[in-house]
Amino acid sequence: MKKRVVLLAVLMLCLLTISACAGEKEVLKVGTEATFPPFESQDEDGNYIGFDMDVIAFIAEDNGWEYEIVNIAFDTLIDKLEKGDLDIVIAAMTIDDERVQRVDFSNPYYDASQIIIVREEEAREFGLDDIAAMDLKIAVQMGTTGAEEAQGILGDDKIHNLYEFKRANEVFTELLSGRVDLAIIDQPVAQKYIAEMGGMKIHGAPFTEEKFGIAVQKGNKDMVDKINASLEKLVSSGEYQALYEKWFDE
Ligand code: ARG
């Protein structure tokens, strides 16, 4: 009799643990900064949309991963990934030397470039080399490659002409307000904001060569391999091309 009670208790305990574990499928935390259309932004209902959002959805589906989007300032993404507060970062993030020291990147999935935007009525002629001498003020998003380019362009002498913003949309409102003379940002994003907000235009040609990658914690080879395998499938299935046309061909 006693034996049966013990057995029953053990059985119940087992069932409890199993159901607890089954219900607790890991939800990956995917970090981004969602004021960066057409890569990542939010629709009126707060849903995350954009090229990157479709790419990560494909990768997650392909691997049977559940995930949630964590929308935070761009300049905090790498820190949070290093600390383990995030599992993946997809944020139109350029693979650069400094970041490669701290996190691991997937294979590149998009070729990008920085470009200058000015107000529509801007009539002055200037190239990259004239910006510092003309005392022009530049708006950029904090922690981006655009910010780094701007620092190089201004040099130490004119660094006070650098205006950095946490969110990309603030860069454009600042330019429209007239407090700065130009903004530097990734080309497709510039085009999207110009189309949506008006009052601005592209100035000159794209002037950097960058590649976007998906970042994971340093040493997480398993996850990089899985992401790369899914990226290959994305391309070979024709889905990459479809997404490209969906988000970039206007
Ligand atoms: N490509 C640039 C960089 O890697 C800008 C990325 C900004 N991304 C964003 N989601 N706000 O620095």
Side-chain angles (χ1 to χ4, degrees):
M1 184 61 192
K2 217 173 161 193
K3 231 179 170 179
R4 267 176 62 184
V5 171
V6 171
L7 209 72
L8 205 73
V10 168
L11 203 78
M12 276 173 67
L13 205 73
C14 286
L15 278 172
L16 271 171
T17 349
I18 289 170
S19 58
C21 289
E24 229 177 63
K25 192 177 175 202
E26 197 198 354
V27 178
L28 297 178
K29 290 201 159 55
V30 176
T32 197
E33 191 286 308
T35 66
F36 218 66
F39 296 97
E40 43 263 341
S41 60
Q42 285 176 278
D43 66 14
E44 304 92 64
D45 303 323
N47 302 310
Y48 293 103
I49 56 164
F51 181 75
D52 283 353
M53 298 298 101
D54 285 350
V55 168
I56 196 64
F58 180 96
I59 293 169
E61 160 102 70
D62 193 35
N63 289 286
W65 293 338
E66 274 177 40
Y67 68 99
E68 62 181 20
I69 296 291
V70 181
N71 175 17
I72 54 179
F74 186 79
D75 68 333
T76 64
L77 287 168
I78 299 260
D79 275 354
K80 294 263 190 278
L81 187 56
E82 270 188 319
K83 279 193 201 133
D85 294 345
L86 299 171
D87 300 291
I88 297 177
V89 167
I90 184 162
M93 185 176 274
T94 303
I95 305 171
D96 73 7
D97 295 344
E98 215 174 296
R99 293 171 184 158
V100 163
Q101 310 281 320
R102 302 173 61 188
V103 298
D104 283 343
F105 280 98
S106 70
N107 292 328
Y109 69 93
Y110 187 88
D111 290 337
S113 160
Q114 300 300 307
I115 203 157
I116 290 177
I117 312 107
V118 294
R119 279 181 301 281
E120 206 152 50
E121 66 273 15
E122 179 62 70
R124 288 171 289 186
E125 297 272 328
F126 65 89
L128 291 177
D129 298 340
D130 307 315
I131 293 175
M134 287 170 72
D135 219 28
L136 301 179
K137 297 186 170 71
I138 310 181
V140 295
Q141 186 176 23
M142 215 172 269
T144 60
T145 50
E148 216 164 287
E149 291 298 325
Q151 281 159 24
I153 289 167
L154 292 172
D156 288 347
D157 286 354
K158 291 292 169 71
I159 201 68
H160 54 271
N161 283 338
L162 183 64
Y163 292 73
E164 297 183 275
F165 298 91
K166 284 273 179 195
R167 297 279 180 179
N169 59 309
E170 297 170 315
V171 171
F172 296 94
T173 44
E174 188 74 2
L175 178 60
L176 281 171
S177 79
R179 285 186 291 268
V180 296
D181 301 292
L182 62 127
I184 296 178
I185 206 154
D186 301 61
Q187 180 184 18
V189 180
Q191 277 160 342
K192 191 81 194 168
Y193 271 101
I194 292 172
E196 271 169 22
M197 296 172 87
M200 299 173 286
K201 63 185 180 189
I202 298 283
H203 182 91
F207 63 92
T208 61
E209 274 180 29
E210 304 180 23
K211 287 177 190 309
F212 294 170
I214 299 165
V216 303
Q217 270 184 296
K218 195 128 212 80
N220 194 348
K221 188 168 172 350
D222 180 55
M223 193 170 264
V224 173
D225 288 347
K226 285 179 174 148
I227 291 174
N228 283 338
S230 299
L231 282 175
E232 265 173 48
K233 268 190 224 169
L234 183 69
V235 174
S236 63
S237 64
E239 184 64 14
Y240 183 93
Q241 188 57 34
L243 291 184
Y244 195 94
E245 279 160 24
K246 174 178 172 192
W247 294 107
F248 303 110
D249 279 8
E250 299 182 55

